[in-house]
Amino acid sequence: MKGRGCWETASVRSFCSSRCLNKFKKDDSGDDDDETASPADKSELHNTIKNLSLKLDDLSTCNDLIAKHGAALQRSLNELDGLRIPYESSEKLKAVNERATLFRITSNAMINACRDFLELAETHSRKWQRALQYEQEQRIHLEETIEQLAKQHNSLERAFRSGASGRAANPTKSFSEGSFLTSKGEDSEEDEDTEYFDAMEDSTSFITVITEAKEDRKAESGTTGPVDWTSSDNQVLDGASLVPKEPPKVKRRVRIPDKPNYSLNLWSIMKNCIGRELSKIPMPVNFNEPLSMLQRLTEDLEYHHLLDKAVHCTSSVEQMCLVAAFSVSSYSTTVHRIAKPFNPMLGETFELDRLDEMGLRSLCEQVSHHPPAAAHYVFSKNGWSLWQEITISSKFRGKYLSIMPLGAIHLEFQASGNHYVWRKSTSTVHNIIVGKLWIDQTGDIEIVNHKTKDRCQLKFLPYSYFSKEVARKVTGVVSDGQGKAQYVLSGSWDEQMECSKIVQSSPSSPSLDGKQKTVYQTLPAKLLWKKYPLPENAENMYYFSELALTLNEHEEGVAPTDSRLRPDQRLMEKGHWDEANTEKQRLEEKQRVSRRRRLEACSRGCSSEDAEKEADTYMPLWFEKRLDPLTGEMACVYKGGYWEAKEKQEWHMCPNIF
């Protein structure tokens, strides 16, 4: 009985001093860097603390009384147990009842005091919570303001360097303007000193005017005649953006563990890496997402249905519209994906065997480590195949990070023989030091059909704070083999793309700067592609799309070099980032040891320079180097054998990289 009384006393003290007071202290806590409070705030805080101190004194007094009366009650109960004469029991019982009554009264007083304390603490807790939320909103507003100032600084700096005069305003409000630049050639790599800035509004080179399909027009001097808009291929274009959602034949996962909230200062790591190749910088997994570059490359196939639709086009220029929409759609997943994918190990592979679900099979292999290069081959049972070798060149330039994918992408339709070739645009991650990270796609893409000589010129407009254009805008023109413009493309690389049939074109009047634009009269636009909505809770799952969520899902029968089996990547996905960093260092060291062994083997009988080159030369397992007859470059193409090896489960030839 005595032990129970002590336990109750200790519980009361713990309740008063820990639960209530700590709750109050947590609500009252804030950043050490906050500004000094105003005199009114100090006075209010002082009064609140004074009231809370008084309540705490009341609780202490009640606690002492409970301890005192509890001890007396305990003694009385002990005496009651030792009674032997029956007539004495009445007096003792009376005393016990009196002390029990006092104990009950004191306990009620303490309960009421605790209730008052809690109410006061909760009232001010909500008030301080609102104040803290206000401070957070003000802090976010300040960050956005600094971000805008940085963009204005970049734009003004660019304007100062170029000496460009102010852009003349276009008085014709009924026109919708697009952008189009002639392709500047296929540069293999950008100059190391090239610097990017937020672009001012570029002078557009064409204007589109929407007209009615059945409106009669007379051909004017220097114009093209009206074009019929009733071909059967329009049914394909009309339904290009409509993708029937069939129930999946294989149940795939729809979520991954939430991203842990680990804070890390990017600048503290990157400040000593300015000008270096990003792939040569040892980076913790805190800056990664739990996918490899091979899996990110496979994500380009998310909107494969556009190519499935394009198979049925009989008009090559309309097929070009769908191919252009497919090329733009590959950037839609990058708008929120500022994290870096894992650099694949040399010889690492990734397969996507979705012949029943998506009608295709895809295979990627890391064929070079410095510079990092990946070969990719896709076969679709719907009548097309795609292949590419992409080398990632990236530079950290202090204020931003530029990523330049180098290499040609090939797409061939078996039935028609149409063979399309294009290259990717430049990706830039801004606000590395100050402000909120954001990504932009810039540059020109030229898609060429080498069979019919049709061309599509796409321009990704860089974001500008001063621009009135839609953010992330993409414009383009599709021309036939004779160079005659047939379609105008417009949209944004993160949302959708549309195409408009050109029925007439004519030159416009020269502007104040002497430049002349082309006016395209078009029919109403048709939607080619629209981005899928992100899954629920995507913001806590690295902003992965539905396809991305399934890419690292464990599958049986894959090669031992598959990205799904990479241990550091798997640990990161599960939220074990410290273990993932340790495992990442182990794998990187293992790869360095393998390279040193190759270097030692090659150094026997040849010079050190030749041995260095020989050590960096890797013989891919599923791809081989061939001369590309269309681009004149050496590129890795699929030589076959992977799917046959998977069927037989013969992986003895695969290197041990994990």
Side-chain angles (χ1 to χ4, degrees), residues 119-133:
E119 289 177 351
L120 183 61
E122 289 175 354
T123 300
H124 287 278
S125 174
R126 289 192 293 270
K127 182 177 180 180
W128 291 327
Q129 185 67 30
R130 289 194 296 269
L132 179 61
Q133 184 178 358

Side-chain angles (χ1 to χ4, degrees), residues 186-235:
E186 308 288 357
D187 296 333
S188 61
E189 188 168 357
E190 300 188 23
D191 189 86
E192 194 162 319
D193 297 328
T194 303
E195 199 158 0
Y196 299 92
F197 300 94
D198 289 337
M200 303 289 283
E201 287 192 72
D202 295 325
S203 177
T204 56
S205 61
F206 71 84
I207 302 171
T208 60
V209 183
I210 299 177
T211 186
E212 296 297 329
K214 297 183 179 179
E215 184 179 349
D216 295 327
R217 302 176 189 84
K218 295 182 180 180
E220 300 178 5
S221 176
T223 66
T224 63
V227 180
D228 185 19
W229 186 236
T230 59
S231 71
S232 60
D233 289 321
N234 287 314
Q235 298 178 0

Side-chain angles (χ1 to χ4, degrees), residues 280-300:
K280 296 183 180 180
I281 301 174
M283 301 282 285
V285 300
N286 303 57
F287 301 122
N288 286 55
E289 61 179 18
L291 289 178
S292 73
M293 191 62 206
L294 303 181
Q295 292 165 315
R296 284 291 294 268
L297 201 59
T298 307
E299 274 192 76
D300 291 356

Side-chain angles (χ1 to χ4, degrees), residues 242-260:
L242 303 177
V243 184
K245 287 289 184 179
E246 299 179 357
K249 298 181 179 179
V250 179
K251 187 176 181 180
R252 304 285 179 182
R253 68 180 184 181
V254 294
R255 64 169 295 107
I256 59 175
D258 287 354
K259 177 182 178 181

Side-chain angles (χ1 to χ4, degrees), residues 23 54 58 77 122 159 170 172 267 290 461 495 511 640:
K23 183 178 188 299
L54 293 175
D58 293 342
L77 291 175
E122 289 175 354
N170 185 5
T172 308
W267 179 242
L461 274 68
E495 285 296 336
S511 59

Side-chain angles (χ1 to χ4, degrees), residues 43-61:
S43 177
E44 183 179 1
L45 182 61
H46 177 74
N47 293 332
T48 302
I49 293 175
K50 183 178 179 181
N51 292 332
L52 290 175
S53 299
L54 293 175
K55 292 295 182 182
L56 191 59
D57 291 338
D58 293 342
L59 289 175
S60 298
T61 303

Side-chain angles (χ1 to χ4, degrees), residues 450-601:
H450 284 271
K451 179 183 179 182
T452 64
K453 306 305 178 185
D454 299 340
R455 292 178 182 270
C456 175
Q457 302 283 353
L458 290 173
K459 178 173 179 59
F460 290 71
L461 274 68
Y463 175 81
S464 171
Y465 175 73
F466 299 101
S467 176
K468 297 179 182 179
E469 295 286 2
V470 178
R472 309 178 187 95
K473 185 175 182 180
V474 181
T475 61
V477 173
V478 175
S479 304
D480 59 20
Q482 289 72 43
K484 178 180 174 182
Q486 297 288 343
Y487 286 92
V488 171
L489 303 178
S490 61
S492 58
W493 53 264
D494 66 322
E495 285 296 336
Q496 65 179 39
M497 286 296 292
E498 297 177 336
C499 72
S500 302
K501 179 69 173 178
I502 298 174
V503 295
Q504 190 166 295
S505 63
S506 61
S508 67
S509 301
S511 59
L512 296 178
D513 56 4
K515 295 182 179 180
Q516 196 173 34
K517 303 178 182 180
T518 302
V519 178
Y520 292 127
Q521 295 188 25
T522 68
L523 295 175
K526 296 180 181 293
L527 183 63
L528 291 173
W529 159 76
K530 188 175 180 63
K531 180 185 176 182
Y532 299 145
L534 288 174
E536 184 180 356
N537 196 39
E539 65 277 6
N540 295 322
M541 299 187 295
Y542 309 89
Y543 286 97
F544 281 178
S545 64
E546 288 186 5
L547 176 62
L549 288 174
T550 67
L551 292 181
N552 206 44
E553 186 175 9
H554 181 74
E555 291 188 16
E556 298 291 339
V558 299
T561 54
D562 197 272
S563 299
R564 299 176 180 90
L565 305 178
R566 180 166 175 166
D568 54 347
Q569 185 173 301
R570 180 66 63 185
L571 286 169
M572 183 195 175
E573 181 185 273
K574 293 180 178 179
H576 308 316
W577 285 18
D578 292 336
E579 295 89 335
N581 278 317
T582 303
E583 192 66 21
K584 184 172 183 287
Q585 293 176 5
R586 181 189 70 81
L587 291 176
E588 291 172 348
E589 180 59 28
K590 182 177 182 179
Q591 185 166 247
R592 284 189 285 268
V593 170
S594 298
R595 185 183 182 279
R596 285 196 294 268
R597 289 174 180 172
R598 290 198 304 270
L599 182 60
E600 292 173 359

